[in-house]
C-alpha cells in the first residue's frame, strides 16, 4: 500500500549487529549464529513481510564480509531494509555500504517507505560520531520534510543503529541531537523506535513514543555501568544463544500499535530491562 492508505495487520522481523567478520573467543562463528537466527525466522508459521537490519552488518566494512552477509540473507527470500552501524562506516565513511545498500537513499543512507498504511523511517546516526551518535542538521531537515505531509493518525516506525534515547551517554549509548527528531514525532499517535548497537533488550515508553533495543546475533554486551567499558562479553559457550536473538514486530491495525516480541536463539526466556533502572 502507498502513503495515506488504511493500515492493515502485518508483521516483520528486526535483526541487528550481525558483525560478520568478528572472530574472537566470545563467538568464533558469527555467521553460524546469524544463520540460526534466520532459520528461526523461516520456521515461523506466519512468514514476515520483510526484515529490518539495524546496523553493524559487518565488523570491519570489508567487501568479503558484506558478501558473506548477502549470501546468508538471500535464504530468507524476503526483502531486507538496512541502516548502517558504525562498524559499517568507520573505514570509508560508509562508501562500501552505500554502494551496496544505499541506492535511492538520501545523504549517508537515510530514507523512508510506506507499508500497508504504516510509515517507516530509516535514520543514520553513526557517521558523525562525537562520543554519542548524531543525526546532523541535513538529516533533521529531511526528516521534517518527510513527516510534513503525514496525518497525525499515521503509525510511524523509526529504526536506526544507535538508540535515539539516552541509555548511557558515558558509553556513547545515545544520540546527541535525537530530541530534535523526537520532537517532530510527538504529534503522531503511535511511534515505535527500534535500535540496535547495545546488544541487549531495553525498553522505554514516553507518551506515544515506544523505544526498543534489540539483541545481537553475534555477541552480548554488558549492562550499562557494570563494567569499565562496553564491548564483547564472554559467556559460557552453552549459554551464548540464550543472549542472542531476534525481534518480531506485529502491527495491529485496529490499535495502531506495534507489538514487539523478542526471542532468544536458544528459545530460553530472556530478560528485558526497563529504562528507569538505567538512567
Amino acid at each position: 500500500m502507498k502513503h495515506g492508505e488504511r493500515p492493515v495487520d502485518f508483521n516483520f522481523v528486526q535483526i541487528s549487529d550481525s558483525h560478520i567478520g568478528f572472530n574472537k573467543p566470545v563467538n568464533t562463528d558469527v555467521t553460524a549464529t546469524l544463520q540460526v537466527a534466520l532459520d528461526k525466522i523461516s520456521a515461523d508459521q506466519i512468514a514476515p513481510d520483510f526484515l529490518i537490519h539495524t546496523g553493524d552488518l559487518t565488523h570491519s566494512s570489508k567487501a568479503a564480509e558484506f558478501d558473506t552477509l548477502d549470501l546468508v540473507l538471500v535464504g530468507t527470500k524476503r526483502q531486507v531494509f538496512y541502516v548502517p552501524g558504525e562498524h559499517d562506516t568507520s573505514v570509508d565513511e560508509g562508501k562500501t555500504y552505500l554502494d551496496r545498500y544505499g541506492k535511492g537513499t538520501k545523504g549517508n543512507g537515510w530514507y523512508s517507505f510506506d507499508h500497508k498504511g504504516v510509515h517507516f523511517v530509516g535514520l543514520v546516526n553513526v557517521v558523525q560520531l562525537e562520543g554519542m551518535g548524531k543525526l546532523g542538521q541535513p538529516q533533521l531537515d529531511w526528516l521534517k520534510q518527510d513527516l510534513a505531509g503525514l496525518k497525525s493518525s499515521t503509525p510511524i516506525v523509526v529504526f536506526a543503529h544507535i538508540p535515539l534515547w539516552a541509555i548511557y551517554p558515558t558509553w556513547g549509548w545515545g544520540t546527541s541531537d535525537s530530541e530534535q527528531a523526537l520532537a517532530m514525532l510527538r504529534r503522531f499517535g503511535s511511534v515505535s523506535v527500534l535500535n540496535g548497537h547495545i546488544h541487549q533488550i531495553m525498553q522505554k515508553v514516553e507518551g506515544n513514543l515506544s523505544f526498543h533495543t534489540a539483541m545481537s546475533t553475534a555477541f552480548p554486551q554488558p549492562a550499562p555501568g557494570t563494567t569499565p567499558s562496553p564491548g564483547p562479553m564472554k559467556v559460557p559457550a552453552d549459554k551464548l544463544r540464550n543472549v542472542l536473538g531476534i525481534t518480531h514486530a506485529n502491527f495491529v491495525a485496529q490499535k495502531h500499535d506495534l507489538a514487539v516480541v523478542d526471542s532468544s536463539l536458544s528459545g530460553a526466556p530472556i530478560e528485558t530491562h526497563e529504562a528507569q533502572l538505567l538512567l
Side-chain angles (χ1 to χ4, degrees):
M1 287 188 180
K2 296 183 178 180
H3 166 64
E5 295 193 32
R6 186 186 181 97
V8 298
D9 294 357
F10 68 93
N11 72 92
F12 65 93
V13 173
Q14 177 192 7
I15 58 175
S16 197
D17 296 272
S18 48
H19 284 272
I20 298 299
F22 179 88
N23 183 17
K24 294 183 180 179
V26 173
N27 184 355
T28 58
D29 195 347
V30 295
T31 302
T33 49
L34 174 60
Q35 185 62 63
V36 171
L38 300 179
D39 290 344
K40 190 175 183 68
I41 295 168
S42 297
D44 288 342
Q45 291 184 344
I46 302 176
D49 285 22
F50 54 84
L51 276 61
I52 285 177
H53 195 308
T54 46
D56 280 354
L57 289 66
T58 68
H59 197 63
S60 307
S61 303
K62 295 178 180 177
E65 295 172 352
F66 287 114
D67 288 344
T68 298
L69 180 80
D70 291 343
L71 285 171
V72 176
L73 286 178
V74 73
T76 65
K77 298 179 181 179
R78 290 287 180 275
Q79 184 171 8
V80 184
F81 294 96
Y82 302 91
V83 287
E86 76 279 5
H87 282 267
D88 304 313
T89 61
S90 58
V91 174
D92 59 359
E93 295 185 344
K95 183 180 184 302
T96 300
Y97 169 87
L98 285 174
D99 287 346
R100 289 180 180 247
Y101 311 109
K103 293 178 176 59
T105 64
K106 308 292 184 182
N108 292 311
W110 56 83
Y111 61 101
S112 66
F113 64 93
D114 295 287
H115 184 76
K116 295 184 177 179
V118 178
H119 189 66
F120 287 78
V121 182
L123 298 178
V124 178
N125 54 1
V126 297
V127 177
Q128 303 180 60
L129 289 176
E130 298 176 355
M132 295 201 296
K134 186 175 181 180
L135 297 166
Q137 196 59 49
Q139 187 171 192
L140 290 168
D141 292 342
W142 168 84
L143 179 62
K144 181 178 180 180
Q145 183 179 24
D146 180 72
L147 298 174
L150 300 177
K151 296 180 180 179
S152 296
S153 59
T154 304
I156 308 291
V157 176
V158 177
F159 57 103
H161 181 63
I162 297 174
L164 291 174
W165 48 294
I167 292 178
Y168 199 65
T170 302
W171 285 358
W173 287 5
T175 301
S176 61
D177 54 357
S178 62
E179 185 51 43
Q180 296 177 56
L182 297 176
M184 302 178 202
L185 293 163
R186 295 186 194 281
R187 72 176 177 90
F188 295 96
S190 173
V191 180
S192 300
V193 184
L194 307 177
N195 303 110
H197 187 56
I198 70 170
H199 297 219
Q200 58 197 283
I201 300 166
M202 294 183 188
Q203 298 175 342
K204 175 185 177 182
V205 177
E206 186 178 298
N208 293 331
L209 280 71
S210 298
F211 300 85
H212 192 96
T213 65
M215 289 184 287
S216 168
T217 66
F219 53 82
Q221 292 201 87
T226 58
T227 61
S229 62
M233 183 176 72
K234 187 168 177 55
V235 299
D238 62 342
K239 302 293 184 184
L240 178 61
R241 293 186 184 185
N242 293 356
V243 290
L244 306 180
I246 57 179
T247 300
H248 292 82
N250 304 293
F251 178 74
V252 182
Q254 291 83 356
K255 297 181 179 180
H256 283 200
D257 287 338
L258 195 69
V260 176
V261 180
D262 296 284
S263 58
S264 67
L265 298 191
S266 68
I270 55 179
E271 181 180 357
T272 300
H273 300 280
E274 296 295 337
Q276 59 263 31
L277 301 178
L278 309 169
L279 299 179

